[in-house]
Amino acid sequence: MKHFARRLSAVTIALAWPLAFAQVPAEEPQPGGALNIGTLMYTLNAGSFDPADWSWKLNNDLGLAYEQLIVADLSKARSRGGAHRFISDAWLPHDGMRGELAESWKMLDNPLRVEFTLRKGVMFPAKPGVMEARELTAEDVVFSYNRINTSPKKIPGYFDLVAKVEATGKHTVVFTFKNYNSEWDYRFGWGYYSAIVPKEVVAAGAGNWKNVNGTGPFLLTDYIQGNSSTFTKNPNYWDKEKIGGKEHKLPFVDRISYRVIKEEATALTALRTGKLDVLELVSWSAIDELKKTAPKLKTSRWLGISGTVIGMRVDTKPLDDVRVRRALNMAIDKQAIIKGYYGGNAEMFVHPQHPDYTGYYEPLSAMPASIQELYTFNPKKAKELLAQAGYPNGFEFRVQVSGNTQNHDLVTLVSAYLEKVGVKVKLVITEPGAMQKALFTGTNEPGYYFVNTITNPTTSLRKNFTSKATFNPSRWKDPNFDKKMEEIVAEPDEKIRQVKVRLLTREILEQAPYIWLPTPYVYTAWWPWVKNYGGELRAGAERPGPIHARMWVDQALKKKMGY
């Protein structure tokens, strides 16, 4: 372990990360102005303003205000000549991260621990009625971690790898491990639940948006449910951006508004008319018309980072028989769905590993024939398997579907395919909150349709298929799988870990606990006056804030274009 700690410290997580990003455009940034953005979550209101509520989208809602120890190194983005797209909902490769509130970090052993050195002079701004301006210290990190870890709403086992967190100096904080876990940086460095919140905000009431106060580039100054969240520039923000060889103080714009828009058609109209500067999510079916009506828009195409699946409860007959589960996969013409339903704008094989996960992802063509056959339309063999399992005439299949899903046509299409092999689908339409509760409590129907975020290479397997996982609609429980998953996250060598992930992915695919459906391509669109942007979407787990803070508006170009 000592050898590994030295190697990890020297190579993988480097002791210091540059403060500024790479030189991107040649233009001189223009400070001022405002950005109106429809984020990936533009149809949803803020889930919570308190990190202790364990809201999966808090970083989307408050990532401009609350910062974390680690963030994406956007100088490594493809649009800036790097290797990474920064699209995935929670995937920062080790060579694609830098310190945010942490200036540096290193792995130590005896006992195994990570020591973070915080940046000096990073300030929480004054917030009337909440707190006076003061410097961020290691005690803030300890407080934030302990509060999240003791929340009654926490995900069980999420922080079990940590024995304790302590401030060893004003700007030094140490996380001591019970055991090594390769997800450590994701869990408390840049993950969903990694925001650093001062104790004064908690004392005032962290759930009240008016009390939000972090070290980030913006202050939350207005919130209208169902309409918008408005952020105003933090004039004393600490970070800078290097453009054209010159450092510039961040953020560039004075105001950012995250819009809440319930319908895509309304969002597209707002984009066309310039009321939105950026719309991060545009469906493939809308892009052609959008390009016709607003041809000057810039766009980027990307493969969805969620898998469309129907979980099949393996603890319920007849789905406890792998032959039945394989039959349901073979009964569906997935290639026809790509061609007909998605107009060719989809990929067959994305879940549980995404093609962006270099080293972890294997294409379908490299998989064994027994896995490839799950994606091949073969109703004849599907009927044979059902007969072998004792269901020559099929059975009734209850499938739970959220009432707000936009893919009812797809569910209907899948149902029609299954009925051709004798499997009669009964849809159980469920209110979204009850849908999630059913999943978390293990009371979901035998079939559970959902769009499942892939997260990152190890988490995708862990959260879907380990015995105690929260997101486990198939109720998959296999001690051997759990043991192998534990070995994977405990493996410090990423090359070995990649091999183990590929092998375990094959194992779960063979067992077909899901009906795997194609994943569509989608688009991000923005106006040319939005500068220093190339379609990046996340700088951490569901966190676009650091990306937006680095955008600036070419006011002259905007005016020239008539907006």
Side-chain angles (χ1 to χ4, degrees):
M1 184 59 72
K2 180 179 289 187
H3 171 73
F4 163 68
R6 287 197 298 267
R7 180 166 56 83
L8 189 62
S9 174
V11 180
T12 309
I13 49 177
L15 294 183
W17 298 83
L19 278 172
F21 291 142
Q23 212 169 305
V24 185
E27 300 108 312
E28 183 77 8
Q30 298 177 23
L35 283 169
N36 290 286
I37 299 173
T39 72
L40 290 171
M41 313 297 174
Y42 71 80
T43 63
L44 302 176
N45 288 305
S48 171
F49 297 101
D50 185 352
D53 286 338
W54 284 72
S55 168
W56 65 273
K57 65 186 292 288
L58 182 129
N59 290 339
N60 178 88
D61 302 327
L62 292 178
L64 284 166
Y66 288 141
E67 294 189 296
Q68 303 180 347
L69 293 171
I70 300 172
V71 72
D73 183 353
L74 294 175
S75 72
K76 304 293 181 62
R78 287 187 187 178
S79 66
R80 305 176 187 212
H84 307 301
R85 297 192 305 162
F86 297 114
I87 296 293
S88 296
D89 47 331
W91 170 232
L92 291 185
H94 286 126
D95 64 342
M97 62 178 75
R98 65 184 280 266
E100 188 169 48
L101 294 178
E103 184 175 57
S104 63
W105 62 92
K106 57 185 175 181
M107 185 74 75
L108 308 170
D109 58 4
N110 295 325
L112 183 64
R113 59 205 189 277
V114 176
E115 180 183 85
F116 290 94
T117 300
L118 303 183
R119 300 187 189 280
K120 297 178 181 178
V122 174
M123 301 293 292
F124 289 106
K127 182 86 170 181
V130 176
M131 65 185 295
E132 299 293 329
R134 67 169 179 82
E135 186 181 14
L136 166 85
T137 70
E139 292 292 348
D140 293 304
V141 178
V142 175
F143 172 82
S144 296
Y145 170 81
N146 286 335
R147 182 168 181 266
I148 292 289
N149 190 37
T150 56
S151 169
K153 297 182 179 181
K154 76 176 236 182
I155 296 174
Y158 195 82
F159 288 126
D160 282 359
L161 71 155
V162 179
K164 62 180 177 178
V165 181
E166 55 190 336
T168 56
K170 185 177 181 181
H171 297 97
T172 307
V173 60
V174 174
F175 286 71
T176 300
F177 294 164
K178 296 176 184 176
N179 50 271
Y180 179 78
N181 187 306
S182 62
E183 292 185 357
W184 69 265
D185 53 337
Y186 158 66
R187 298 285 182 95
F188 56 76
W190 52 266
Y192 288 96
Y193 314 107
S194 306
I196 306 302
V197 180
K199 61 182 183 296
E200 294 93 333
V201 167
V202 174
N208 186 338
W209 72 264
K210 294 180 180 180
N211 296 330
V212 170
N213 196 48
T215 58
F218 286 87
L219 314 172
L220 178 61
T221 50
D222 195 23
Y223 172 70
I224 304 173
Q225 186 170 349
N227 183 278
S228 61
S229 297
T230 301
F231 298 86
T232 303
K233 179 179 182 176
N234 177 359
N236 297 313
Y237 184 56
W238 61 272
D239 204 1
K240 298 178 181 179
E241 171 87 330
K242 183 176 286 187
I243 296 178
K246 180 181 177 182
E247 285 191 340
H248 298 268
K249 184 176 173 60
L250 289 173
F252 293 125
V253 299
D254 292 333
R255 189 177 72 256
I256 289 179
S257 178
Y258 287 172
R259 295 291 310 281
V260 177
I261 305 172
K262 292 299 183 182
E263 302 291 336
E264 183 183 38
T266 305
L268 292 171
T269 298
L271 182 64
R272 288 190 190 99
T273 57
K275 293 179 181 178
L276 283 179
D277 301 285
V278 182
L279 185 57
E280 291 186 339
L281 184 62
V282 179
S283 66
W284 67 268
S285 57
I287 195 65
D288 288 343
E289 183 64 23
L290 180 63
K291 288 180 177 180
K292 289 178 183 176
T293 55
K296 294 182 180 179
L297 281 168
K298 292 187 173 184
T299 61
S300 67
R301 180 178 186 251
W302 48 282
L303 180 59
I305 43 72
S306 298
T308 303
V309 300
I310 298 176
M312 295 180 283
R313 291 193 68 134
V314 299
D315 60 354
T316 304
K317 289 188 176 299
L319 302 174
D320 58 340
D321 192 319
V322 67
R323 293 171 296 184
V324 172
R325 301 194 301 269
R326 293 181 68 87
L328 297 195
N329 272 282
M330 293 181 214
I332 299 166
D333 192 341
K334 299 174 184 180
Q335 193 61 55
I337 289 175
I338 291 175
K339 185 177 179 180
Y341 184 81
Y342 289 116
N345 295 283
E347 294 293 341
M348 181 75 77
F349 187 61
V350 174
H351 190 279
Q353 300 297 332
H354 193 278
D356 274 6
Y357 300 160
T358 303
Y360 295 94
Y361 176 82
E362 278 189 291
L364 185 59
S365 59
M367 292 288 175
S370 56
I371 292 175
Q372 292 185 32
E373 111 176 309
L374 295 173
Y375 297 84
T376 304
F377 183 46
N378 192 342
K380 182 174 182 288
K381 184 165 184 179
K383 289 181 179 180
E384 291 173 355
L385 287 172
L386 290 173
Q388 291 171 18
Y391 300 93
N393 299 317
F395 58 92
E396 183 177 279
F397 185 32
R398 290 170 62 87
V399 177
Q400 198 165 7
V401 181
S402 173
N404 71 348
T405 184
Q406 299 180 7
N407 292 329
H408 279 292
D409 289 345
L410 177 59
V411 177
T412 301
L413 180 58
V414 169
S415 300
Y417 277 120
L418 295 180
E419 288 189 15
K420 289 180 180 179
V421 296
V423 177
K424 297 179 181 179
V425 176
K426 182 176 181 180
L427 298 181
V428 181
I429 309 301
T430 308
E431 183 272 329
M435 184 94 175
Q436 187 177 71
K437 183 178 180 180
L439 176 61
F440 289 177
T441 58
T443 58
N444 54 288
E445 295 287 350
Y448 188 92
Y449 172 89
F450 72 135
V451 179
N452 186 15
T453 57
I454 302 171
T455 315
N456 59 56
T458 52
T459 301
S460 180
L461 293 173
R462 176 178 54 78
K463 76 170 186 175
N464 282 277
F465 307 115
T466 54
S467 299
K468 297 181 180 180
T470 305
F471 290 87
N472 187 356
S474 68
R475 319 323 302 178
W476 187 263
K477 292 185 179 181
D478 179 356
N480 289 327
F481 186 96
D482 293 350
K483 182 180 179 181
K484 290 177 181 179
M485 194 70 244
E486 290 174 1
E487 291 173 354
I488 285 172
V489 296
E491 175 53 60
D493 189 315
E494 187 173 33
K495 293 294 185 183
I496 296 175
R497 194 162 64 245
Q498 288 172 346
V499 173
K500 290 183 176 182
V501 165
R502 294 198 300 268
L503 291 174
L504 195 57
T505 298
R506 287 186 175 196
E507 285 188 27
I508 200 65
L509 287 169
E510 291 273 10
Q511 295 299 318
Y514 288 175
I515 296 174
W516 276 283
L517 299 170
T519 296
Y521 282 96
V522 286
Y523 291 79
T524 296
W526 65 98
W527 284 102
W529 59 72
V530 177
K531 301 294 185 178
N532 206 34
Y533 182 60
E536 298 80 24
L537 297 174
R538 295 168 171 106
E542 299 290 3
R543 186 169 176 233
I547 299 165
H548 299 161
R550 286 163 171 79
M551 297 176 180
W552 56 273
V553 178
D554 187 331
Q555 302 289 356
L557 177 59
K558 186 174 181 179
K559 184 177 181 180
K560 183 179 179 180
M561 294 180 69
Y563 293 91

